Amino acid sequence: MVINHYSGQHSISFIGCGVQTFFCLSLGGAECILLTLTSYDRFVAVCNPLRYTVTMTSKVCVLMAVASWAGGALNSLTQTIYTMHFPVCGLTEINHFFCEMPAILKLSCEDTSDYEMVVFVVSIVFILIPFSLIMASYIRIFLTVLRMNSPEGRNKALATCASHLMVVSLYLAPGMVVYMTPGSSHTPALDQGVSVFYTILTSMLNPLIYSVRNKEVVRALRKVLRKNLLSK
C-alpha cells in the first residue's frame, strides 16, 4: 500500500487485492484475540499475583500466541474467499486506501445483504465478545485495586492496565463502527477515516503507549516536550 502510494501507482491486481484483504483480516482478528488474552494476563497479575508464575507459564503464553494467529488466519481465509467471489460490475475503483472487505463488497453487482449479516455475526465473535470479556476483566481488576491498602500498589496496578486499555479503546471501537454498523450508513470518507485508527494510528502509537511505564522513556518525552514548548 505504501509503495503504491509513493510510486503513484494506484492500481492493484485481483490476486493482490485478495492477499491484502487476507492479511488485513488475519492480523486484525489475531489482534482482537490477543488483546482479550492479554486482559486475562492483566487479571491474573492484579487479582491473583501469587499464582501468576504458575498460571501464566511459557507453555500457556505460546498457546495463547498460537490461538491468536490460528484464529485470525482461519477466519480471514474464509472471509477473503467468500468476499472475493462476488462479481464486480461497472467501475472497479475501490474508494479506499487499501482493499478492505466493506469497500470491496460495495463494488459487487449482487445483493450482499445476507453476507453482510454473516459479517456482523462474525464481528460479534471477534469484536464484541472480546470487548465484553476485556471489560469484565477490568471491572474485576478495578474492584481489586479499590480494595488495596497500599497507594503504591494501587498506582502500579493501574499503570499496568492503562496502556493495554488505551490500545483496546483505539483498536476495537473503530472496528465496531466499520464492521458492526450497516454499510449503507457509511460514507467512503468515514470508512477511510475510521480505518486509519486501527490500521495505522494504533500500530504507530503502540511503542509509545506500551513504553510510557518506562521511567527513562517518560523522562525523555518530557524533555522533548519541554524543549519544543520553550522554543516556541
Side-chain angles (χ1 to χ4, degrees):
M1 181 187 68
V2 174
I3 291 172
N4 288 343
H5 177 74
Y6 281 103
S7 65
Q9 297 177 359
H10 300 293
S11 61
I12 187 169
S13 66
F14 180 81
I15 294 177
C17 188
V19 170
Q20 196 177 67
T21 302
F22 170 78
F23 278 108
C24 174
L25 291 173
S26 182
L27 294 171
E31 180 79 359
C32 291
I33 298 173
L34 191 60
L35 286 173
T36 307
L37 296 175
T38 307
S39 72
Y40 175 72
D41 173 83
R42 298 291 190 272
F43 167 76
V44 177
V46 176
C47 300
N48 298 289
L50 297 180
R51 293 186 56 82
Y52 183 81
T53 54
V54 177
T55 304
M56 300 303 296
T57 61
S58 298
K59 183 179 179 180
V60 170
C61 292
V62 170
L63 288 174
M64 290 167 71
V66 171
S68 300
W69 284 107
L74 183 61
N75 169 65
S76 176
L77 182 63
T78 306
Q79 296 270 44
T80 301
I81 291 174
Y82 205 84
T83 299
M84 300 305 291
H85 99 282
F86 284 106
V88 177
C89 300
L91 293 175
T92 56
E93 181 179 349
I94 301 175
N95 199 346
H96 212 296
F97 60 89
F98 72 104
C99 289
E100 190 171 29
M101 182 174 60
I104 297 173
L105 290 176
K106 289 181 179 180
L107 299 179
S108 176
C109 53
E110 290 187 359
D111 182 14
T112 60
S113 57
D114 290 339
Y115 181 57
E116 288 178 1
M117 183 56 65
V118 173
V119 172
F120 177 77
V121 174
V122 172
S123 299
I124 291 177
V125 175
F126 277 86
I127 299 178
L128 192 59
I129 291 178
F131 183 76
S132 301
L133 292 174
I134 291 169
M135 289 300 100
S137 295
Y138 276 108
I139 288 173
R140 290 287 304 274
I141 288 171
F142 288 140
L143 290 175
T144 301
V145 169
L146 289 175
R147 290 196 294 267
M148 290 182 177
N149 295 323
S150 169
E152 183 179 349
R154 190 183 300 117
N155 292 335
K156 184 177 180 180
L158 291 175
T160 301
C161 301
S163 56
H164 178 255
L165 195 57
M166 188 179 299
V167 173
V168 168
S169 302
L170 288 173
Y171 190 78
L172 293 184
M176 289 181 184
V177 175
V178 173
Y179 289 97
M180 299 194 67
T181 56
S184 57
S185 64
H186 299 176
T187 63
L190 175 63
D191 284 342
Q192 292 177 35
V194 172
S195 295
V196 167
F197 272 90
Y198 62 88
T199 58
I200 298 175
L201 189 62
T202 304
S203 302
M204 184 179 68
L205 292 176
N206 270 349
L208 179 61
I209 293 173
Y210 283 116
S211 61
V212 164
R213 291 171 57 202
N214 187 305
K215 293 181 180 179
E216 292 181 2
V217 173
V218 173
R219 194 180 303 117
L221 182 62
R222 286 176 179 171
K223 185 177 180 181
V224 170
L225 293 174
R226 192 181 301 115
K227 182 179 180 181
N228 288 337
L229 290 173
L230 291 175
S231 64
K232 292 179 181 180

